[in-house]
Amino acid sequence: MSRIPEETIQQVIAATDIVALVGRSVKLRKAGTNYLGLCPFHNERTPSFNVSPSRNTYHCFGCGAGGTSIRFVMEHDGLSFVEAVKRLADAAGIRIEEEVWDANAEAEAKHRSLLLRAHREISEWFHQLLMKHKIAAPARDYLKSRGITAEVAKNWQMGYAPPHGAFFREWAAQAKIPESVLVEAGLFVQSDEDSGRRGTYPRFRDRLMFPIRNDHGDVIAFSGRVLDPEAKTAKYLNSPETSLFSKSKVLFGFDRSKRAISKAGEAIVCEGQIDMIMVYEAGFQNVVAGQGTAFTELHAKLLKRVCNEVVLCYDSDNAGYKAAERAFQILSPIGLTVKVASLPQGEDPDSLLRKQGTEALQGVLGNATDFLEYQIRRLRASAKSDSMVERVRMAEQVASAISIFTGVAQRITAVNKVAKMLEISEEQLSAMVNRAAKEAKSGQTAGTAPVNVVDEAKKLLASQHRTALALCQMALADAEIMYWLREADCEDLLREVPGTEMLALLVHSRHDPLEESSQLAFMAGLERQQEAAFAQLQARPRLPGGLEDAKSALYTLELVRMKNLIQSIEAKLRQRDLPEEEVERLQQQQIELIARRKECLDRTKPAPNSFSP
């Protein structure tokens, strides 16, 4: 380590505007003579992080973190005391005279500086190759094809990694950077003995290079895009984890965009470097991109320090939807509001800008909807119909997303909104959310691998309506009931009442209880969990009752259908600004349904131990 005179330390603290320093990474608001914000050192929803310009200190009343500007830089950026003082001194134009008193620590600091220098200088060399060397002509042609100008390439110090190791070694010799440093930095790779290669070789070859920087603009890693479309290799290749770089902690472009994000209170998140760069260059400077991996909690916390809302601007394909879903699951628990900007089919932010210009992207971002609404739209687009059964299936999927919300008010608001959108009851959706939350607690989330077939069969049985299961049991055991069911007019019921899926399979099959071969053929044509569920159902004791009880059970299910339809109409009637003619039409439907429901009630009779009327 180095010893810095006390007078110099005091001079650095006095010369540093702590509000400006903290404000680069924490969104602050004035509160009297001080400033308040969300603490960057622990997760909180209510600001308890206090910055005092008069005392030139900060303090968090939540976690107890506090100190001077030097302590903030040390804790926030992971620097040593000497490194923090040097950084602030450089910013203030103060010269530091120091004495070395710990040789090991000094050697470690010098080694880190050497790693940073290696990244900085190779980034400059890559850039010079791209801009001037004939070997990089294919890379320049690629940039032109993407509408990326030389000015943009300069702004982001894009580069080109040559295809042969001789170029690298010649550069390293001139730069006087040892090969061991290049290996440690991840720029060179040690050959695998089994490959037949010896020595080391460059990790990045014949690729368009993007330097990855830390919060302060130091180059700490690279991302390289392959140029040969026929190459049998990854499209993008990132530097490995090093002492400088951890992809779970770094967002591409954050060093440039953090002030714009803080000012807007919102971060636009893209999937790739080119998308991020072109969105930034189009004037939307509150934008970042991941490093080719899913969002991490550290990424989320990084954004939470400077904003409260995130707009996901991912590709419009299925992979983009899945990425948005994973990002929501990480961002929302941190307390960030998550919206999704729906791009036109087949477009990404870069292609939309090239084809339709800045106004088109502005429109897409301006029309971003909260994640739940976006999810429902996606589910509706792929649904076979708009029946009650389909809407309940959608609700079950959306319930998993709602269960992620930690705030009670947030959950209630979400349930209310989604119930109206799907035209189901709030009570039904709340039950689904509670169940999803319990499953998530026990580790049975939607994203985990499926459990064994027996457990899946139990889940299927649990999802079925009790009366529908009773009818299944009766039909499996009694041919008369099976034949009657197939003649009964129950298609609307099977389509619209949730929990009748197994009954529908049976009704639409050729299963004959009197023929064993028919039963085996029916079971063989089912999916594994369905086959196991029917097997479990058949193993249960036979239910009492005959055809009249079956008819009563069917009327019970029809009552459920009527109730759902009435609730759907009531939900529609609660909507504002409905035309008068539509209100009258809905009210007339409601009256007719209530009358039909009364008829069904008169035809049902209780049957203990079999089904619930």
Side-chain angles (χ1 to χ4, degrees):
M1 287 178 72
S2 302
R3 184 178 182 278
I4 300 174
E6 186 67 27
E7 298 81 11
T8 306
I9 293 171
Q10 293 300 330
Q11 187 182 0
V12 168
I13 292 173
T16 302
D17 182 344
I18 195 167
V19 174
L21 174 71
V22 174
R24 292 187 195 120
S25 51
V26 178
K27 191 171 185 179
L28 297 173
R29 63 175 176 82
K30 203 166 189 333
T33 57
N34 295 337
Y35 290 80
L36 277 178
L38 292 170
C39 180
F41 304 117
H42 82 287
N43 188 25
E44 64 176 5
R45 294 180 179 277
T46 305
S48 59
F49 187 78
N50 191 288
V51 180
S52 170
S54 61
R55 292 193 297 270
N56 230 349
T57 60
Y58 70 92
H59 178 74
C60 176
F61 292 96
C63 68
T68 64
S69 53
I70 296 172
R71 173 59 57 185
F72 181 83
V73 173
M74 288 171 66
E75 297 293 334
H76 186 269
D77 299 330
L79 301 181
S80 67
F81 177 80
V82 172
E83 287 172 329
V85 175
K86 283 183 179 178
R87 177 171 287 172
L88 293 175
D90 286 344
I94 297 171
R95 186 178 175 185
I96 290 181
E97 298 289 342
E98 54 184 309
E99 298 175 357
V100 177
W101 61 277
D102 187 326
N104 290 332
E106 181 68 12
E108 188 179 326
K110 281 185 177 179
H111 185 64
R112 177 182 169 85
S113 296
L114 185 58
L115 282 172
L116 287 170
R117 179 168 78 85
H119 280 89
R120 181 179 68 251
E121 294 190 7
I122 202 170
S123 180
E124 291 168 357
W125 179 62
F126 283 154
H127 181 62
Q128 289 305 313
L129 288 180
L130 175 68
M131 303 305 290
K132 297 179 179 179
H133 203 289
K134 62 182 180 181
I135 200 173
R140 291 193 290 272
D141 291 340
Y142 173 78
L143 290 178
K144 286 176 186 174
S145 73
R146 296 291 297 259
I148 299 174
T149 64
E151 185 182 357
V152 171
K154 286 177 185 175
N155 287 347
W156 295 87
Q157 205 178 38
M158 294 180 197
Y160 174 71
H164 307 298
F167 279 83
F168 284 89
R169 288 188 167 81
E170 184 181 343
W171 166 81
Q174 291 176 353
K176 296 181 180 179
I177 294 177
E179 194 168 286
S180 60
V181 172
L182 296 176
V183 171
E184 187 180 344
L187 298 168
F188 271 47
V189 179
Q190 189 71 46
S191 297
D192 187 347
E193 291 180 8
D194 297 334
S195 69
R197 265 183 182 168
R198 291 184 179 179
T200 61
Y201 60 92
R203 179 181 299 276
F204 301 101
R205 301 183 301 282
D206 192 27
R207 287 179 181 265
L208 179 67
M209 301 299 290
F210 300 91
I212 298 171
R213 302 173 187 272
N214 61 19
D215 289 9
H216 302 285
D218 302 317
V219 180
I220 56 172
F222 291 93
S223 181
R225 190 197 190 284
V226 71
L227 292 168
D228 180 4
E230 303 299 321
K232 305 296 183 185
T233 185
K235 187 176 178 182
Y236 279 93
L237 180 66
N238 287 339
S239 292
E241 300 272 317
T242 68
S243 58
L244 296 179
F245 173 62
S246 174
K247 61 187 176 184
S248 66
K249 298 178 182 177
V250 180
L251 289 167
F252 183 79
F254 188 70
D255 59 303
R256 290 199 180 196
S257 61
K258 60 185 177 183
R259 291 187 184 182
I261 292 171
S262 179
K263 186 176 179 181
E266 172 189 273
I268 302 165
V269 179
C270 299
E271 286 187 84
Q273 285 94 353
I274 289 181
D275 283 337
M276 182 271 160
I277 289 170
M278 299 315 289
V279 170
Y280 185 97
E281 292 292 332
F284 307 94
Q285 295 187 347
N286 55 320
V287 59
V288 292
Q291 301 293 347
T293 55
F295 247 86
T296 68
E297 189 176 342
L298 294 170
H299 289 145
K301 286 181 177 178
L302 192 64
L303 291 176
K304 182 61 178 172
R305 291 175 188 167
V306 290
C307 68
N308 293 314
E309 185 171 285
V310 170
V311 177
L312 303 174
C313 195
Y314 290 169
D315 293 357
S316 54
D317 56 13
N318 194 52
Y321 169 68
K322 291 295 182 186
E325 194 172 35
R326 288 192 298 271
F328 170 79
Q329 291 167 357
I330 296 293
L331 294 165
S332 189
I334 297 295
L336 286 160
T337 299
V338 181
K339 291 186 174 182
V340 181
S342 298
L343 292 159
Q345 194 64 36
E347 303 290 356
D348 56 36
D350 170 46
S351 64
L352 182 66
L353 281 167
R354 278 187 281 121
K355 293 176 184 177
Q356 299 182 38
T358 304
E359 287 185 6
L361 182 61
Q362 176 69 66
V364 165
L365 294 172
N367 289 323
T369 56
D370 72 75
F371 178 79
L372 296 179
E373 189 173 337
Y374 166 76
Q375 187 181 32
I376 290 170
R377 270 198 218 152
R378 290 277 308 193
L379 293 170
R380 272 203 153 128
S382 61
K384 295 176 183 177
S385 69
D386 195 40
S387 67
M388 176 60 76
V389 170
E390 285 291 339
R391 294 202 302 275
V392 168
R393 282 177 183 162
M394 294 178 212
E396 285 173 345
Q397 293 187 57
V398 181
S400 295
I402 298 174
S403 70
I404 291 171
F405 295 141
T406 52
V408 175
Q410 194 180 19
R411 269 199 196 183
I412 291 171
T413 303
V415 166
N416 179 270
K417 182 176 181 178
V418 171
K420 285 179 181 176
M421 289 179 70
L422 293 177
E423 298 172 22
I424 64 172
S425 72
E426 291 179 25
E427 294 80 8
Q428 192 177 9
L429 183 57
S430 291
M432 292 177 188
V433 171
N434 292 335
R435 185 167 63 246
K438 286 178 183 176
E439 287 176 356
K441 261 188 179 178
S442 63
Q444 296 177 353
T445 55
T448 56
V451 292
N452 63 52
V453 176
V454 174
D455 287 343
E456 285 293 307
K458 287 179 180 177
K459 285 174 69 175
L460 176 57
L461 288 168
S463 70
Q464 299 300 289
H465 195 285
R466 186 180 173 189
T467 303
L469 278 184
L471 261 178
C472 279
Q473 275 187 272
M474 296 167 79
L476 285 167
D478 190 325
E480 183 184 16
I481 293 174
M482 178 74 81
Y483 301 151
W484 167 77
L485 261 178
R486 293 203 177 109
E487 296 298 321
D489 182 15
C490 59
E491 284 305 313
D492 288 346
L493 180 154
L494 294 174
R495 187 174 58 254
E496 295 176 10
V497 176
T500 58
E501 290 80 11
M502 286 180 65
L503 181 60
L505 283 171
L506 199 57
V507 170
H508 297 144
S509 74
R510 295 184 179 180
H511 182 284
D512 189 335
L514 300 178
E515 292 185 20
E516 187 179 349
S517 60
S518 167
Q519 177 183 338
L520 294 173
F522 166 65
M523 298 289 271
L526 299 172
E527 293 179 10
R528 289 180 67 196
Q529 73 271 20
Q530 292 171 343
E531 183 182 2
F534 273 104
Q536 288 184 33
L537 199 61
Q538 284 182 303
R540 294 179 181 180
R542 179 168 177 164
L543 292 175
L547 183 58
E548 288 306 311
D549 297 280
K551 289 180 179 179
S552 184
L554 197 65
Y555 284 127
T556 299
L557 290 174
E558 181 65 15
L559 279 172
V560 174
R561 187 174 86 89
M562 297 289 178
K563 180 183 176 184
N564 290 342
L565 288 172
I566 291 167
Q567 287 180 342
S568 177
I569 289 173
E570 288 172 349
K572 288 177 181 176
L573 286 169
R574 285 196 293 270
Q575 294 176 9
R576 296 178 182 178
D577 304 323
L578 271 181
E580 190 175 334
E581 316 85 71
E582 179 67 6
V583 172
E584 289 178 3
R585 187 184 70 80
L586 290 171
Q587 287 174 339
Q588 184 58 40
Q589 279 187 5
Q590 189 180 32
I591 292 168
E592 292 172 4
L593 284 168
I594 290 170
R596 283 163 60 189
R597 185 170 181 269
K598 187 177 183 305
E599 289 178 20
C600 286
L601 269 172
D602 295 338
R603 294 184 181 186
T604 58
K605 66 172 184 176
N609 304 317
S610 59
F611 49 83
S612 301

